[in-house]
Each structure stands twice: as C-alpha cells, then as structure tokens.
Amino acid sequence: MTDLEEWSTNANQALTISFIQAGQTSVQTLSTFQPRFTYPIFGEEERIFGYQGLKINLRFAAHDLLPNIQISYDKRFKPVGDTKATDLLEKLKEWTPQISFQKATAFDSSIQNDSSAPKFQPPGELVQSYTSQGRQFEIWRGELTEIAVQRLIERIQILISLFIEGGTPLPLDDQDWSLARWTVFFVYEKLSNFPSPNTSPYSLVGYSTSYRFIIYHAFPPAQESAEDKAAIHDFELSSLKPVSPASLPARARISQFLILPSHQGHSHGTHLFNAMTSTFLNSSSCVEITVEDPNEAFDDLRDYCDYSRLLANGTLNQISLNNNIPSNLTSKRIGVKVPTSQLLDRSLLEALRKKNKLAPRQFDRLVEMHLLSKLPIHTRQSGTARITQRGRSTNENDRAWYYWRLLVKQRIYKKNRDVLAQLDRIERIEKVEEQVGELAGDYERLLRAIERRESRNGEPVGDNNNNEERKERGKRKVVLEDEEEDGTPEPKKLKDNN
C-alpha cells in the first residue's frame, strides 16, 4: 500500500499569489506572497491530497486584476478504489471566475499585448491622493452597482478568504437594491516607471468594502405627540417616488479591509481608513460608523486613527474628569453609591459622539484612553495601591485614578451584566478588577504606539506591523462578553475585553 502521507501537501505553501504587469519583453512580477489561510478552499487541515511537487500560482494583472491560475506538479496519485487526488480545478472554480483558467501562455500574451492598459483608470471617483516614501498613491470610491466595480471585486475577492479570518466573498448576484447598499474603496499606486508601452500606470495596493445598514428611528412613547401619531396613521407610501437606499438614515459598516502583504507596514491602511471615515462624515445620510467583526490588528488601526482624529479636531480637549465629588459620597459604607453621573458631562459626551459619528462602545473606549493619558505614569502604574482612600484622597491624581477605574468598572459591568450575574459576589468583583487591569494595560500599549508613531516625523498611525507592536498586541486576553456596536447582544460567549 502506498504511503499516503507522501502525497499530502501543505496548501498554504503550495499556493503562491503574484501581481504582474507588462514588461520590456515579457510580463514581469511586481510582488509575490503566500496566503495566511487556505481552509475555506481546502478544508480545516489545509492539506491537498494526491500530488508531489505541487505548485499553484494565482496571478493577477496589477491594474484590472485579470486572474490566472497555473497548476504544476511532479507526480499525481493514481486512484485506488475511492481514494483519488483532489480535483483542484473543481475546488478552485467556486472561488474564481472562469476566465482564471485560460492557458498561462494566453494570459501572459493578453497582459503583454494589452494596448488598453495604459488608459486604465480605477472605477468610480478619486477620493484622495497621497505620497508615501516618494511614491504616489490614490484612493478611489465606487458603488457595487457599477459593472466595472463588480468585475474587479469578482476577480480579487478570493483574497478575502485567504487573508481575513472568516472572510467570505460578496454575493454579486444580489438584487440591485441590495447591491446599492455597498461601496468599495480601492487603493492604487500610481506608477512612474513604464517598462513597456502597454504597462498600466496603476497597480493595486488594497481595498475595503462598506455597506449601509438602514436604521429605523421610532418615537419613544413619552415623546410621541398627538401630531406625531396622526402623521404616522395618515402616512402613505407613494409608488411615484422610489426611495434610494443611499438617501435613508444608515450606519456605515466597514466590512472587508485588506492591504496586500507586499504593501503592509507603510501606513496605507491608515490612509484608507481615514479616507473612508472622511467620506462617511461628509455623508448626510450616515449617522454612525461601525465595523463588522474586526480582528485585533484592525481594532488597533481603528483606535489609532479615531484617537488621532479626535485629538486633531479638538473633541478630546473638551472632555475632562470631575474628581471633586464630596468625600462622604465615596465611603465604603453600605448603601453609599458614588454618583458617577457627576464624573463626566454626559450630555456633552453624547453630542460629541454623534458629531463624530462614532459607535457608543468605540467612543467610550477613546474617552477612557484619553482620560487615562492625562494621569501621571507613576499613578497609572500603581494598580490599586494609590486608591485605598477612594475619593477622599488629598492627591487629585489619585482621586482621578480611582474615579477612572470606577467608570470603567461600571461600563464593563453593564455590558456583561448577564454573565457576571452567574458568578458569586467575590468572584464577580475579582473578574471585573481583572478586566479593568487588562483594559488599562491595553490602553497603555495603544498610547505608547501612538507616541512612537507621532515621534516619526508625524507619520500617520496604524497599519505598521512591526515586531514590537505585534508582540505587545499578543498580550491581549479574551474575557467576558460584549455587545455588537449597534447595541444588539451577541450570543453568550467569551469575548475580547475591548
């Protein structure tokens, strides 16, 4: 019996992804990299059976993303009963358009001889241009109802499943009203070197998608007047005036976000996120900016960008902590509750949150991080040693540290009330204290990263995957439960602490 192990190949190593363009005499490769995951295509074990010396080359034209798949191998397993080699074409055709399977020679020829490539322009409208390390880049925005945008997404979105945990392709066969909710932002490099008359001036750097999550505003019963009720009962939906999804109040929800590995670490993610945020802030129909199931790296990027923006526009400078609560209201006597409503101006916070179109949870985190940054380092690093006097301390920084922790505890408890209610009192207190300590530590990590970025001659924050920041990010733990940004409870499960 043949040793079947020798016919098993690591799919992540077998698959190579490249971006190419027309060269002087033949196509030339701009970048090459490996996928992070292949389990969506080849299964949880990420193994391919039935080949020796297997190589799968997934190539894209750098400008219009025309794809091509080349498969080569030294040997193929001969079927024995029901055991046979993986049908690679059958596996891959579910993830890429049919045009991907033309012969490599035909693909190379089409790229090398494409006289229309120099005239290529990304679809949609130009949102922003910027320079990084002496090279020119552009961000373009288009709607998914546009055929040119659909074509690019159909060709490239296999990468979402290869680089984003749990990432899935967009259903491009949806009805027009559903596609109209989607917006796509492309980042392209504007090239200056043209080795061939058929070389395109554009090369993809990354892209992101967002969709409008329509929200319904209902009058609270106490605020609903007789006129409001009459207007609701008399309301008629006119068939003569079709409603565009773009005109309805909505949350802008960032869905997929990908910077190609060859371009990571150069702040392109920062530029893309900020360009998207600026677009949403300028939209009259967008009331809030949210993110769909972000991973830790994107959480960091978002925190860096949002925090920097709120610093730059003066929002955070308007927020301060009132640490002058009467000391008799902070004692440990039974029945005494600290009036946390007096610690912050809640009406001001809500107005600032809405102005910046931030989700409540995200805004709370940024406010907490800002208030923490105002405390001396030695106070922040003291843990609970300096808060034994609670609000009665004569040191205003110690009082502020106590009140800061109290506010964070209150938010954590409210968000995780159902989970914490299942614990006994002592365990509940310990769990919340542990959570506050971890959250403070994570805020410190983010503040250090922001300080490092700002010291690099004003370099934009975020999207810089250096080893130091990856190591620090790896210290984050998963505890307790949280909510979706729009307030919808998630299923009971342990959840990232921030």
Side-chain angles (χ1 to χ4, degrees):
M1 185 69 176
T2 305
D3 184 1
L4 298 183
E5 283 297 319
E6 67 182 14
W7 295 98
S8 179
T9 303
N10 184 312
N12 294 341
Q13 297 175 2
L15 178 59
T16 299
I17 302 162
S18 303
F19 282 77
I20 67 170
Q21 67 175 10
Q24 188 170 4
T25 58
S26 61
V27 296
Q28 67 178 32
T29 300
L30 296 178
S31 60
T32 300
F33 44 86
Q34 309 294 134
R36 288 188 63 195
F37 319 105
T38 52
Y39 68 83
I41 302 175
F42 298 109
E44 289 297 325
E45 295 185 359
E46 299 183 319
R47 309 289 299 184
I48 301 173
F49 175 77
Y51 302 89
Q52 292 182 1
L54 176 64
K55 294 180 180 180
I56 305 173
N57 294 322
L58 174 58
R59 298 188 295 165
F60 295 94
H63 63 298
D64 67 2
L65 310 182
L66 181 68
N68 180 252
I69 295 176
Q70 294 176 275
I71 300 174
S72 63
Y73 48 85
D74 298 331
K75 293 182 180 180
R76 178 169 175 159
F77 182 80
K78 294 180 179 180
V80 177
D82 293 333
T83 304
K84 56 184 179 181
T86 301
D87 188 336
L88 294 174
L89 294 181
E90 187 68 22
K91 288 281 188 183
L92 291 167
K93 74 179 184 180
E94 300 178 18
W95 297 87
T96 58
Q98 186 60 38
I99 198 173
S100 306
F101 301 100
Q102 65 174 313
K103 292 183 180 298
T105 52
F107 174 74
D108 289 353
S109 178
S110 68
I111 300 299
Q112 188 66 19
N113 301 307
D114 183 6
S115 60
S116 67
K119 304 174 186 176
F120 172 83
Q121 179 175 287
E125 63 175 338
L126 178 63
V127 174
Q128 178 186 326
S129 300
Y130 64 94
T131 302
S132 178
Q133 298 184 330
R135 297 158 66 178
Q136 299 296 316
F137 299 88
E138 295 179 351
I139 300 176
W140 292 72
R141 174 172 64 91
E143 305 300 322
L144 198 53
T145 50
E146 301 175 39
I147 298 301
V149 174
Q150 288 187 29
R151 184 182 300 116
L152 292 182
I153 293 299
E154 179 186 27
R155 293 174 174 181
I156 198 64
Q157 65 178 348
I158 184 177
L159 297 190
I160 294 299
S161 298
L162 297 178
F163 287 96
I164 299 178
E165 184 77 51
T168 56
L170 297 183
L172 299 177
D173 57 352
D174 264 2
Q175 299 181 43
D176 287 346
W177 69 265
S178 181
L179 294 177
R181 297 186 306 145
W182 288 88
T183 302
V184 184
F185 295 79
F186 296 100
V187 185
Y188 272 91
E189 180 176 4
K190 190 75 178 291
L191 302 174
S192 56
N193 180 32
F194 307 104
S196 163
N198 293 330
T199 300
S200 171
Y202 286 98
S203 175
L204 185 75
V205 171
Y207 79 99
S208 181
T209 62
S210 70
Y211 64 94
R212 288 179 284 275
F213 192 84
I214 309 300
I215 58 177
Y216 170 71
H217 286 293
F219 290 107
Q223 300 178 15
E224 190 175 0
S225 66
E227 290 79 7
D228 294 331
K229 292 180 181 179
I232 292 172
H233 290 309
D234 293 341
F235 176 76
E236 292 183 4
L237 187 64
S238 172
S239 60
L240 300 178
K241 297 180 179 180
V243 177
S244 168
S247 67
L248 298 174
R251 293 184 178 93
R253 182 164 292 182
I254 299 173
S255 178
Q256 303 162 324
F257 195 101
L258 176 66
I259 300 298
L260 301 180
S262 52
H263 289 283
Q264 291 177 7
H266 301 292
S267 296
H268 298 300
T270 299
H271 285 289
L272 177 55
F273 184 90
N274 286 337
M276 296 177 73
T277 299
S278 179
T279 299
F280 301 143
L281 288 172
N282 291 326
S283 169
S284 59
S285 63
C286 175
V287 299
E288 195 170 277
I289 305 168
T290 63
V291 178
E292 182 180 66
D293 195 20
N295 59 24
E296 289 187 358
F298 189 85
D299 266 339
D300 281 357
L301 170 65
R302 181 191 187 189
D303 288 340
Y304 297 148
C305 292
D306 285 347
Y307 190 83
S308 296
R309 175 166 57 89
L310 296 193
L311 274 178
N313 68 17
T315 295
L316 294 179
N317 291 335
Q318 301 178 55
I319 302 171
S320 60
L321 186 66
N322 174 24
N323 59 8
N324 292 314
I325 304 297
S327 59
N328 63 305
L329 297 178
T330 66
S331 69
K332 293 184 178 181
R333 296 197 309 272
I334 296 176
V336 174
K337 293 184 179 181
V338 179
T340 54
S341 60
Q342 298 180 25
L343 296 175
L344 292 170
D345 186 339
R346 293 294 178 182
S347 59
L348 172 64
L349 291 182
E350 184 63 7
L352 293 174
R353 182 189 73 79
K354 289 182 176 180
K355 179 180 179 180
N356 288 281
K357 299 186 179 182
L358 288 168
R361 171 183 173 274
Q362 177 67 359
F363 187 68
D364 286 344
R365 284 171 41 77
L366 298 173
V367 170
E368 290 168 2
M369 190 156 61
H370 164 67
L371 295 176
L372 182 67
S373 73
K374 296 301 181 181
L375 296 173
I377 291 291
H378 69 272
T379 299
R380 286 146 48 179
Q381 293 178 346
S382 66
T384 59
R386 302 181 66 92
I387 61 174
T388 55
Q389 294 297 310
R390 297 161 68 89
R392 301 188 303 278
S393 174
T394 57
N395 186 305
E396 64 176 357
N397 290 322
D398 290 350
R399 292 199 306 273
W401 178 228
Y402 165 72
Y403 289 131
W404 183 90
R405 291 175 58 88
L406 192 64
L407 284 172
V408 176
K409 288 179 186 179
Q410 185 179 60
R411 182 174 72 85
I412 290 174
Y413 186 83
K414 287 181 177 179
K415 294 288 186 181
N416 300 280
R417 189 189 307 269
D418 292 341
V419 174
L420 292 170
Q422 301 172 25
L423 308 177
D424 61 43
R425 182 175 180 275
I426 299 300
E427 188 178 2
R428 185 163 59 244
I429 293 173
E430 291 175 350
K431 181 63 71 175
V432 172
E433 285 285 354
E434 176 187 356
Q435 180 84 341
V436 171
E438 290 176 1
L439 193 55
D442 198 52
Y443 288 159
E444 294 283 8
R445 176 184 64 83
L446 291 166
L447 290 169
R448 286 195 298 271
I450 291 172
E451 185 178 356
R452 284 196 298 268
R453 302 295 173 77
E454 291 179 342
S455 68
R456 297 172 187 165
N457 298 320
E459 176 186 331
V461 296
D463 155 66
N464 199 343
N465 292 326
N466 62 54
N467 290 332
E468 181 180 359
E469 289 178 14
R470 280 201 304 268
K471 182 177 179 181
E472 285 201 66
R473 189 167 60 232
K475 297 176 181 178
R476 295 166 65 171
K477 296 183 180 180
V478 177
V479 292
L480 295 182
E481 180 185 11
D482 216 330
E483 290 181 348
E484 290 286 3
E485 295 187 331
D486 58 7
T488 305
E490 290 187 331
K492 292 292 187 296
K493 61 181 180 180
L494 297 183
K495 180 67 176 177
D496 190 327
N497 62 359
N498 54 15

